Amino acid sequence: GIEYTCGPAGNSGTNFEEGEYLCEVTLPTSSKPNLKDPTELDYIHLPYFLTYYERNMTVRNEISRFLQKNTFGPTASELDELEAAFAVLMGESGDITNSPSDETSNETSDGPNSTV
């Protein structure tokens, strides 16, 4: 089965520094045909490392994902309605239907940190 261990890195490596929180996952053993006898398998014992992961989704994709998990699936009108409501909550103006959320460039005096 799959095993994992998480904790601070004991040393630095490619794309991570000592002390950075990482998880090591041990996947099931892979195999390849034996060079001398192709009817036999040689097992490969190599670790896999995920050294970096960044999730970057648009507001519309996040809303769609939410609706997929909590309803029978989103419709275009539901996405438009929730996306518009989110824009109002974040103090954004204009049509954000096809653009990623960028709170820093869309903040105004009525932005998310202002009081009403």
Side-chain angles (χ1 to χ4, degrees):
I2 296 176
E3 298 175 18
Y4 65 92
T5 305
C6 296
N11 61 328
S12 295
T14 305
N15 295 325
F16 69 93
E17 299 294 326
E18 182 177 352
E20 196 171 336
Y21 192 83
L22 302 173
C23 290
E24 180 179 4
V25 178
T26 305
L27 301 174
T29 306
S30 299
S31 62
K32 67 178 184 177
N34 183 290
L35 293 176
K36 294 180 181 177
D37 183 358
T39 62
E40 291 187 24
L41 295 176
D42 288 336
Y43 292 96
I44 303 169
H45 300 281
L46 295 174
Y48 296 86
F49 294 97
L50 177 62
T51 58
Y52 183 77
Y53 173 76
E54 180 179 317
R55 181 175 175 187
N56 189 7
M57 294 180 70
T58 64
V59 170
R60 189 170 186 87
N61 285 342
E62 290 281 0
I63 293 169
S64 177
R65 186 178 173 99
F66 172 80
L67 290 174
Q68 288 171 4
K69 290 184 173 192
N70 295 292
T71 67
F72 292 107
T75 64
S77 62
E78 288 172 325
L79 288 172
D80 293 342
E81 184 179 332
L82 285 172
E83 194 170 27
F86 178 81
V88 169
L89 287 172
M90 296 303 294
E92 298 174 352
S93 61
D95 180 19
I96 60 169
T97 304
N98 292 316
S99 62
S101 174
D102 184 2
E103 288 95 18
T104 56
S105 66
N106 291 326
E107 287 183 8
T108 64
S109 60
D110 297 331
N113 296 325
S114 64
T115 56
V116 178

